[in-house]
Amino acid sequence: MNALGQTIKGFRVLLLWGLFSVAAAGSGYAARAKYVFLFIGDGMGAVQVAATESYRAAIQLGDEVPGSTKMVKLNMSGLPALGMITTFAHNRLITGSAAAGTALACGKKTAVGVVSMDPSGKVPYRTLAEAAKSRGMKVGIISSVSIDHATPAVFYTQQPDRKNYYEIAMALSASGFDFFAGGGFLHPTGKSGDRPSAIDTARKRGYRVATGREEIGALSAGAPVLARNRSWMKKKALFYALDKPSDHLSLGEFTKKGIELLDNPDGFFMVVESGKIDWASQARDAATVMSEVAAFDDAVGEALTFYREHPEETLIVVTGDHESGGMTLGAAGGVFETHLELLQKQSMSYARFSGMLAERLKKGISFTEAMDSAREVFGLALLGEAERMRLVEAAKNGDREAADRLLLSLEPFEIRKITEAWNMSLLPGNRRPGSREVFLKYGKYDPFTVTLARVLSAKVGIGWTTFNHTAVPVPVYAGGAGSDSFNGYYDNTDLALKIAGVMGVSLN
Amino acid sequence: MNALGQTIKGFRVLLLWGLFSVAAAGSGYAARAKYVFLFIGDGMGAVQVAATESYRAAIQLGDEVPGSTKMVKLNMSGLPALGMITTFAHNRLITGSAAAGTALACGKKTAVGVVSMDPSGKVPYRTLAEAAKSRGMKVGIISSVSIDHATPAVFYTQQPDRKNYYEIAMALSASGFDFFAGGGFLHPTGKSGDRPSAIDTARKRGYRVATGREEIGALSAGAPVLARNRSWMKKKALFYALDKPSDHLSLGEFTKKGIELLDNPDGFFMVVESGKIDWASQARDAATVMSEVAAFDDAVGEALTFYREHPEETLIVVTGDHESGGMTLGAAGGVFETHLELLQKQSMSYARFSGMLAERLKKGISFTEAMDSAREVFGLALLGEAERMRLVEAAKNGDREAADRLLLSLEPFEIRKITEAWNMSLLPGNRRPGSREVFLKYGKYDPFTVTLARVLSAKVGIGWTTFNHTAVPVPVYAGGAGSDSFNGYYDNTDLALKIAGVMGVSLN
């Protein structure tokens, strides 16, 4: 081909590209995506992600390569497009999961507690999942908390109150959506346990109810599915990744199975919620937060694997519904220092620790025994003066383990705080003072456990400001078809409209 | 024109657009910008901005329009492109202003404390300002803190230590840059005051030194300029916007004057630093932080005015060098509630309050008198039981002022904290315990003042976690020529490379 030919061929490419771009500009979206993933980290703000990135860097890179990056990107944060969304509810700056989920599912604001209806709880909103279904796409909804919880529910039902758990459970199978997985139902037979079972109803409506790794593994494409582990922890949620029994499916494994079952020529819309980043953030348990973020990110990894096979037709969007805990990457006592790698010592979640402690309290555990557990589980220790001196010497001689133990040793004022909390833990919940001062210290958590988690956070350089949600804007990470449109700073309602745009559906 | 003609004309446009896009894709940047603004909010993270947006909404919208947005965009956050940058230094996850500034100015990491040199402090880096100057653009550097401070300095000098204030001051006029404005020099005649004056040296090198509104107002294009107010507050910084004497120029006014003097056919590069968002964030003074962000945003507004006259050739980039204070939008005591509008009651900065208090302490001020000042300045009040009952009744009847006063009334545990801080404030600084426990409470600040600021923050729903910087990634807002390339999640060094790309200069 001569130079002119090359030029002409080049022009033709440009021309096609130009036309394509203009067409895209017309609809506002660069491409229609046939396979759409929406990942929602409940309570996940930019800091929950950045802390996990820093933790990975601290573990993987250590102190030996200070010139290297100090944050290791995750699957989600490595996606090319970045947005940031405001999350306020119709009636409150700091939102709740129902209002935030409604915004993400329907592109409209509502009041706190309302599921995909207007603030009065009278007018239903149309959801992305419904719109996708009516366009012939398959729909999957996965959550690590109960599947009737606000965040999954906003996609498949409209309810004036998120606490209508039975109505929500019944609505689930009425939706006809193709794949539900993760947690259980809070009130499968109603609040009083006297209503027809939502699970039996699902079966009657044609759902295959698969329980446990073997049954789920055996599923192939066909009738709609309700897939669950053999047991759940409290509140019908999946176990924390840090505590997960090995025979339980992880969020990533549910996602992988969902992709396998939903994959079809007409496309699918899949929502994956990690619901317990929120819970662990509210409890100020940094190690559990990061382990949940990592498990969530593994689920994003499954979508990325699928994306690589269908790069032109797949959209992946990852966001949070709001931030929780007021997490930051810097604590007063540490001044400019952080030691995130020390969180590796933590061997279970605050929740499991609290549960075990409650059992042992019934049997009359002593403070010394409790502190032994604190050392085992969180690495926090009371040191005798002789031991401290020995560790100081060893650390001077480059003993890293000794240095770590010193960093995790408790100072007198920390011991005082922990002792105070211990005395409060000894009181039955209903005999604890309900004052604002006590709430400021412990929230609604076991005082001893939450104090250990806070002390550990402060020592490694992570700060917290609340036991609830915050109004901090949260990040959006996006990749694949149409992902450019997710760049920028906008509202959570706009995010739903953008997804609708790329999916080619309407929310009206 | 017939249909075919229209089509052909359409094709030609597409063709040109296609060529342009490809050319841009080749260099990686969509357009070369002739007028480039880099705004740096020292210590400004996404929350400092979002809190200001929420505060504006709270004031402007009140409770009457809950359906309206609860965040009012600022000039900066209304820019179309959004990025987020990691800020870690070569040798620390939580950076300092010199290392962070070096990354923004030179596109390379360095160690904490080093000004635009490699981590060893031996190899100089080339800065964006130097590259712009050598390309024939004019250069302006404005800061609200001393002009020899790390953040402005990284653009005009290379120093192994940010504390080389005299060397930095002398380097300023050696740079030949065209416009320096804002704060003063910390050591204009050296640490011991026995060296040739940096100001006289600047004059000898041809700088016009203009002091005060009148002299600055009279300046027109010509020789390079060093422009300053008639006085500064401590550390040679501009006054906080909340405390600013009316005859002082604001950061916005310095920016406006800079634009006027730098505007020329060969373009300019202007850096505007708001240095005290950092200081106020470290002191946990929310009202002062937001007033500083607003003043900074006014300066961005001046750039926007210029942009509107030169939309094709102007780039505006706004970012932070790191976050400070660990600010969040949610505090434990408030649970899900916020009352940012109450910050309107605060009438001066923590710094001015501390200064006044120190004077009055010398004269023997009583706790009661100090609490009267706390009521006047922060709105925080001790209420007698009779007054409380009266306010509760009034609030029930819709009296907004009464409701506000109740929200700002002090609870017993808050009074205990304030009293404890007061007793510490009575001790001379050198007699205060240097323990980690005391540092955790007050940092390096006057204990009484910082406790009032913390209590007020907690009451309105703002949380803090440190008296220093954090490693929380910070936002980048960008608009104008080439601004698309600033979308995404990347490192602070990449930000400098992107600016160099759009300016068409090299940092090697």
Side-chain angles (χ1 to χ4, degrees):
Chain A
M1 198 188 292
N2 61 20
L4 183 62
Q6 279 181 344
T7 306
I8 288 170
K9 197 180 167 201
F11 273 11
R12 195 179 307 149
V13 171
L14 291 173
L15 205 59
L16 286 170
W17 188 41
L19 280 168
F20 175 73
S21 305
V22 165
S27 76
Y29 299 97
R32 189 196 155 224
K34 201 159 112 179
Y35 310 107
V36 176
F37 292 89
L38 173 57
F39 287 90
I40 304 175
D42 202 308
M44 187 183 79
V47 181
Q48 275 78 1
V49 177
T52 309
E53 293 172 339
S54 310
Y55 178 53
R56 287 214 177 157
I59 291 171
Q60 293 174 12
L61 309 173
D63 290 339
E64 286 157 34
V65 279
S68 302
T69 173
K70 292 290 185 181
M71 294 199 177
V72 172
K73 287 272 173 79
L74 309 182
N75 288 322
M76 63 179 101
S77 55
L79 294 173
L82 175 89
M84 193 163 72
I85 52 173
T86 49
T87 66
F88 53 85
H90 169 77
N91 56 343
R92 209 171 63 195
L93 182 63
I94 299 179
T95 193
S97 289
T102 297
L104 296 175
C106 309
K108 297 188 184 77
K109 293 286 184 195
T110 194
V112 171
V114 178
V115 172
S116 295
M117 304 187 84
D118 80 324
S120 74
K122 286 177 185 149
V123 183
Y125 292 163
R126 180 177 164 90
T127 83
L128 280 171
E130 291 167 347
K133 188 73 188 167
S134 72
R135 202 187 196 289
M137 297 163 80
K138 292 203 175 193
V139 172
I141 312 277
I142 305 174
S143 176
S144 63
V145 297
S146 65
I147 197 69
D148 52 11
H149 214 249
T151 311
V154 293
F155 289 92
Y156 64 79
T157 186
Q158 287 79 10
Q159 298 287 337
D161 188 344
R162 62 178 285 179
K163 289 181 191 145
N164 293 351
Y165 292 115
Y166 181 67
E167 289 76 7
I168 293 172
M170 294 299 283
L172 180 146
S173 55
S175 72
F177 292 172
D178 304 272
F179 184 74
F180 288 96
F185 294 115
L186 287 167
H187 299 150
T189 52
K191 247 186 191 169
S192 320
D194 56 358
R195 311 283 296 275
S197 153
I199 297 163
D200 291 344
T201 305
R203 282 203 186 89
K204 277 183 205 153
R205 287 173 175 162
Y207 276 78
R208 294 178 285 171
V209 179
T211 306
R213 185 177 289 280
E214 209 172 318
E215 280 184 28
I216 295 171
L219 290 170
S220 56
V225 163
L226 183 56
R228 311 115 70 79
N229 281 321
R230 292 217 168 274
S231 64
W232 293 288
M233 64 160 267
K234 229 170 57 174
K235 298 185 190 171
K236 300 289 175 74
L238 297 193
F239 283 76
Y240 280 112
L242 211 50
D243 307 329
K244 190 179 83 65
S246 59
D247 65 324
H248 279 204
L249 272 75
S250 67
L251 194 66
E253 288 173 311
F254 279 119
T255 303
K256 188 177 180 182
K257 190 70 197 181
I259 293 170
E260 181 195 326
L261 296 180
L262 294 179
D263 190 6
N264 81 99
D266 295 321
F268 60 74
F269 174 63
M270 181 184 273
V271 178
V272 182
E273 188 214 9
S274 173
K276 295 169 72 177
I277 299 169
D278 179 47
W279 298 2
S281 293
Q282 294 190 40
R284 307 188 181 187
D285 179 347
T288 301
V289 166
M290 296 199 255
S291 135
E292 288 301 290
V293 171
F296 183 47
D297 197 58
D298 288 343
V300 176
E302 297 296 338
L304 271 172
T305 301
F306 180 85
Y307 160 80
R308 284 184 200 107
E309 292 159 19
H310 309 270
E312 306 295 326
E313 302 170 297
T314 305
L315 169 69
I316 303 173
V317 177
V318 187
T319 190
D321 58 348
H322 52 73
E323 199 273 342
S324 290
M327 188 180 197
T328 81
L329 254 174
V335 188
F336 289 104
E337 294 305 318
T338 52
H339 298 282
L340 300 187
E341 68 284 355
L342 296 178
L343 291 171
Q344 285 179 97
K345 313 260 177 197
Q346 187 173 328
S347 59
M348 66 178 75
S349 74
Y350 74 96
R352 187 163 166 216
F353 184 83
S354 283
M356 284 172 46
L357 188 73
E359 287 307 310
R360 293 177 70 190
L361 276 171
K362 285 182 200 160
K363 296 176 194 154
I365 179 182
S366 70
F367 180 66
T368 308
E369 288 168 321
M371 287 309 294
D372 283 346
S373 298
R375 183 199 285 245
E376 266 167 46
V377 172
F378 298 99
L380 295 169
L382 287 165
L383 294 183
E385 198 46 34
E387 192 178 5
R388 175 182 296 276
M389 297 299 283
R390 191 183 64 70
L391 291 172
V392 168
E393 273 312 301
K396 269 187 202 157
N397 295 322
D399 181 337
R400 179 68 180 264
E401 177 66 23
D404 285 357
R405 287 191 57 199
L406 281 169
L407 285 165
L408 288 173
S409 71
L410 295 166
E411 292 190 46
F413 79 95
E414 292 165 335
I415 294 167
R416 203 178 61 240
K417 279 184 186 177
I418 292 170
T419 315
E420 194 188 323
W422 171 253
N423 289 329
M424 196 66 78
S425 284
L426 291 177
L427 291 177
N430 57 5
R431 285 181 47 208
R432 284 176 205 153
S435 71
R436 186 153 162 264
E437 183 180 9
V438 170
F439 181 81
L440 277 172
K441 284 182 183 161
Y442 314 123
K444 62 191 174 190
Y445 300 94
D446 167 58
F448 184 65
T449 310
V450 79
T451 303
L452 292 173
R454 288 181 71 173
V455 166
L456 179 58
S457 278
K459 281 186 178 297
V460 305
I462 287 177
W464 305 96
T465 68
T466 180
F467 295 106
N468 290 285
H469 308 162
T470 69
V472 170
V474 298
V476 177
Y477 310 104
S483 61
D484 276 3
S485 58
F486 295 88
N487 282 312
Y489 181 26
Y490 44 93
D491 190 53
N492 56 1
T493 53
D494 297 325
L495 180 59
L497 300 177
K498 286 169 192 282
I499 293 173
V502 178
M503 260 201 317
V505 301
S506 162
L507 290 173
N508 292 319
Chain B
M1 197 187 291
N2 61 20
L4 181 63
Q6 280 182 344
T7 305
I8 289 171
K9 198 180 167 199
F11 274 10
R12 196 181 303 150
V13 171
L14 290 174
L15 205 59
L16 285 170
W17 188 41
L19 280 168
F20 174 73
S21 304
V22 165
S27 75
Y29 298 97
R32 190 196 155 224
K34 200 159 113 179
Y35 310 106
V36 177
F37 293 90
L38 173 57
F39 288 89
I40 304 174
D42 202 309
M44 187 183 81
V47 181
Q48 276 78 2
V49 177
T52 309
E53 293 172 338
S54 311
Y55 178 53
R56 286 213 179 158
I59 292 171
Q60 292 175 13
L61 309 173
D63 291 338
E64 285 157 34
V65 278
S68 302
T69 173
K70 292 291 185 181
M71 294 200 177
V72 172
K73 287 273 173 78
L74 309 183
N75 288 321
M76 62 178 100
S77 55
L79 294 173
L82 174 88
M84 193 163 71
I85 52 173
T86 49
T87 66
F88 53 84
H90 168 77
N91 56 343
R92 211 172 60 195
L93 182 64
I94 299 180
T95 194
S97 289
T102 297
L104 295 175
C106 309
K108 297 187 184 79
K109 293 285 184 195
T110 195
V112 170
V114 177
V115 172
S116 295
M117 303 186 84
D118 81 323
S120 73
K122 286 177 186 150
V123 183
Y125 292 161
R126 180 176 163 90
T127 83
L128 279 171
E130 291 167 349
K133 188 74 187 168
S134 71
R135 201 187 199 287
M137 297 163 80
K138 292 201 175 194
V139 172
I141 311 278
I142 305 174
S143 176
S144 64
V145 296
S146 66
I147 197 71
D148 51 12
H149 214 251
T151 311
V154 293
F155 289 92
Y156 63 78
T157 186
Q158 286 79 9
Q159 299 286 338
D161 188 344
R162 63 178 285 179
K163 290 181 190 143
N164 292 351
Y165 291 115
Y166 181 67
E167 290 76 7
I168 293 172
M170 294 300 282
L172 180 145
S173 55
S175 72
F177 292 170
D178 304 272
F179 184 74
F180 288 97
F185 293 115
L186 286 167
H187 299 150
T189 52
K191 247 186 190 168
S192 320
D194 56 357
R195 311 283 295 275
S197 154
I199 297 163
D200 292 343
T201 305
R203 280 202 188 90
K204 277 183 202 152
R205 287 171 176 166
Y207 276 78
R208 294 178 285 172
V209 180
T211 307
R213 186 175 288 280
E214 209 172 319
E215 280 184 29
I216 294 169
L219 291 169
S220 56
V225 163
L226 183 56
R228 311 115 69 80
N229 282 320
R230 291 217 169 273
S231 63
W232 293 288
M233 65 160 266
K234 229 170 59 175
K235 299 186 191 170
K236 299 290 176 71
L238 298 193
F239 283 76
Y240 280 112
L242 212 50
D243 306 330
K244 189 179 84 63
S246 59
D247 64 325
H248 279 204
L249 272 75
S250 66
L251 194 66
E253 288 172 313
F254 278 120
T255 303
K256 187 177 181 182
K257 190 68 195 183
I259 293 170
E260 182 195 325
L261 295 179
L262 295 179
D263 190 7
N264 80 99
D266 295 320
F268 60 74
F269 174 63
M270 182 184 273
V271 178
V272 182
E273 188 213 10
S274 173
K276 294 168 72 176
I277 299 168
D278 179 47
W279 300 1
S281 293
Q282 294 190 39
R284 307 188 180 187
D285 179 347
T288 300
V289 166
M290 295 199 253
S291 137
E292 288 300 290
V293 171
F296 182 46
D297 198 57
D298 288 344
V300 175
E302 296 297 339
L304 271 172
T305 301
F306 180 85
Y307 160 81
R308 285 184 200 107
E309 292 159 18
H310 309 270
E312 308 293 326
E313 302 170 298
T314 304
L315 169 68
I316 303 174
V317 177
V318 187
T319 191
D321 59 348
H322 53 73
E323 198 273 344
S324 291
M327 189 181 197
T328 80
L329 254 173
V335 190
F336 289 103
E337 293 305 317
T338 52
H339 297 283
L340 301 187
E341 67 283 356
L342 296 178
L343 291 172
Q344 285 178 97
K345 312 261 177 197
Q346 187 172 327
S347 58
M348 64 177 76
S349 74
Y350 74 96
R352 188 164 166 219
F353 184 83
S354 283
M356 284 172 48
L357 188 74
E359 287 307 310
R360 292 177 70 191
L361 276 170
K362 285 181 199 159
K363 295 176 195 154
I365 179 182
S366 71
F367 180 66
T368 307
E369 288 168 320
M371 287 309 294
D372 283 346
S373 297
R375 182 198 285 247
E376 267 168 46
V377 172
F378 298 99
L380 295 169
L382 288 164
L383 292 183
E385 198 46 35
E387 192 177 5
R388 175 183 295 275
M389 298 298 284
R390 192 184 61 72
L391 290 173
V392 168
E393 273 313 301
K396 270 186 201 157
N397 295 322
D399 182 337
R400 178 68 181 264
E401 177 66 24
D404 286 356
R405 287 191 57 200
L406 281 170
L407 285 166
L408 288 173
S409 71
L410 295 167
E411 291 190 47
F413 78 96
E414 292 165 335
I415 293 168
R416 203 178 61 239
K417 279 185 187 176
I418 292 169
T419 315
E420 194 188 323
W422 171 254
N423 289 329
M424 196 66 79
S425 284
L426 291 177
L427 292 177
N430 57 6
R431 284 182 48 208
R432 286 178 204 153
S435 70
R436 185 154 161 264
E437 183 180 8
V438 170
F439 181 81
L440 277 173
K441 285 181 183 161
Y442 313 124
K444 63 192 175 190
Y445 300 94
D446 167 59
F448 184 66
T449 310
V450 80
T451 303
L452 292 173
R454 289 181 69 173
V455 167
L456 179 57
S457 278
K459 281 185 178 296
V460 305
I462 287 178
W464 304 95
T465 68
T466 179
F467 295 105
N468 290 285
H469 307 163
T470 69
V472 170
V474 298
V476 176
Y477 310 104
S483 60
D484 275 4
S485 57
F486 294 89
N487 282 313
Y489 181 27
Y490 44 92
D491 190 54
N492 56 1
T493 54
D494 297 325
L495 180 59
L497 300 177
K498 286 169 192 283
I499 294 173
V502 178
M503 259 198 322
V505 301
S506 162
L507 289 174
N508 292 318

